[in-house]
Amino acid sequence: MTHSPFWMTLALACGLSLGQPHAAAKTVYFPHNVENKHMAGTLEGPQTAEYQLALHQGQELSILCHSRKRSVSFFVKDPAGHLLYTTADGGLRNHPLHDHWHGLVPENGNYTVGVFLHHGAAQKGQNAFYKLNLSVH
């Protein structure tokens, strides 16, 4: 059975079991009067870097993901694990160096932001450095 890169990327973003390893999610805290957090890392192969954010209904979450490679994407999941957004939905990224998303948080809970390599790059064992800017207002 063959899979298109789009469907494989979407499956990864949705958390479907494709034998892809997930590192333990890192919890991101926003102390009083701190609205921005900066994360950075290197993705290797099929690894997904996940970040957990405890958010409250009505807050605005903004995400900016920088990478020099177009093969890096990110997703956002609500507390129930439903996909709110993935850069894979839009096919190719709008800009070779960054992609962004923002939205209002619909309910209280722990939201997940995950950064991953597209299936083709991951299967080739490629790696990519990324920077993630998380803002909560």
Side-chain angles (χ1 to χ4, degrees):
M1 174 158 59
T2 61
H3 297 285
S4 72
F6 169 76
W7 290 111
M8 294 301 286
T9 301
L10 188 58
L12 283 171
C14 292
L16 298 177
S17 177
L18 296 174
Q20 308 300 333
H22 291 269
K26 298 173 185 161
T27 302
V28 179
Y29 297 101
F30 290 91
H32 186 65
N33 294 330
V34 174
E35 296 179 339
N36 296 302
K37 289 286 186 164
H38 303 281
M39 309 298 179
T42 300
L43 299 169
E44 297 180 11
Q47 173 189 32
T48 299
E50 293 187 354
Y51 301 93
Q52 294 283 323
L53 298 88
L55 302 175
H56 300 287
Q57 182 178 11
Q59 286 183 304
E60 183 176 346
L61 173 62
S62 297
I63 301 168
L64 180 61
C65 184
H66 294 275
S67 178
R68 291 184 184 207
K69 297 186 179 179
R70 286 182 173 240
S71 59
V72 174
S73 289
F74 72 91
F75 62 82
V76 181
K77 291 183 182 178
D78 68 12
H82 298 112
L83 191 64
L84 294 178
Y85 175 80
T86 179
T87 52
D89 282 344
L92 291 176
R93 292 167 49 162
N94 298 330
H95 189 280
L97 298 178
H98 70 273
D99 203 351
H100 64 278
W101 176 83
H102 70 273
L104 289 177
V105 175
E107 62 182 302
N108 295 342
N110 292 323
Y111 288 75
T112 303
V113 176
V115 185
F116 62 97
L117 283 171
H118 294 192
H119 181 71
Q123 289 301 103
K124 293 176 185 174
Q126 295 179 0
N127 61 29
F129 180 77
Y130 69 90
K131 292 182 183 177
L132 195 63
N133 180 24
L134 305 171
S135 298
V136 177
H137 303 282

